[in-house]
Amino acid sequence: SRLGILIVRHLKRLERVILGYLEVCDGPEEEARLGILETLQCTIEHAWPRMPCRLPVLLKALLKMIWDVHTDQGSTPEPVTAALLQGATECLILLDRCSEGQVKVLLEGVYSSCEENRVRECIRKVQENT
């Protein structure tokens, strides 16, 4: 957040780091994933004019993470799972706002074809947010 809009200078490298952390489960407390979701939220807030062109990659990574978190029946406690899903949902809402509703349009097909309630709940929150 200290860099503010100057973060755009580092977006390409930062995007690779964010995508890498979103892909990997880092244990029951998921500290790295929670931290990177917070970083992504801050990045979207400060560099929102540059986010629409990164939308396909970020949307895919967030949806994959939501699915992985939902289907992981491992040792992750429920509050951590809920925090991860909430953080990903907030990132999707921010992406939707800076892309003028493109995320909602893209998620329509996912929502109608998905049968998992927790994943549908995340998508529904994005679609209902104005």
Side-chain angles (χ1 to χ4, degrees):
S1 65
R2 287 185 185 171
L3 285 175
I5 190 65
L6 297 178
I7 194 69
V8 297
R9 294 180 182 169
H10 309 283
L11 271 181
K12 195 171 193 176
R13 217 171 324 151
L14 181 59
E15 182 182 293
R16 286 194 306 264
V17 171
I18 288 170
L19 296 175
Y21 275 97
L22 288 178
E23 287 179 4
V24 181
C25 174
D26 63 309
E29 298 305 312
E30 293 277 14
E31 293 169 358
R33 268 187 176 169
L34 289 168
I36 209 68
L37 285 170
E38 188 177 321
T39 301
L40 179 56
Q41 288 175 20
C42 189
T43 302
I44 295 168
E45 289 170 356
H46 290 288
W48 63 266
R50 298 289 177 102
M51 289 298 120
C53 65
R54 291 177 158 68
L55 181 61
V57 173
L58 293 174
L59 179 61
K60 180 180 176 182
L62 286 167
L63 287 175
K64 184 178 181 321
M65 191 210 80
I66 288 171
W67 181 258
D68 290 347
V69 168
H70 166 70
T71 56
D72 179 30
Q73 302 301 322
S75 59
T76 307
E78 177 54 35
V80 175
T81 298
L84 285 168
L85 294 175
Q86 177 64 30
T89 302
E90 289 172 11
C91 287
L92 289 171
I93 290 169
L94 288 172
L95 282 172
D96 185 62
R97 288 181 184 163
C98 67
S99 68
E100 299 176 355
Q102 288 180 29
V103 173
K104 287 178 185 167
V105 172
L106 294 169
L107 289 179
E108 285 174 5
V110 176
Y111 185 81
S112 63
S113 64
C114 181
E115 296 179 6
E116 302 296 329
N117 286 335
R118 278 191 107 166
V119 176
R120 285 176 67 101
E121 179 66 19
C122 293
I123 295 170
R124 187 188 59 72
K125 286 179 185 175
V126 175
Q127 289 176 327
E128 290 178 352
N129 193 283
T130 54

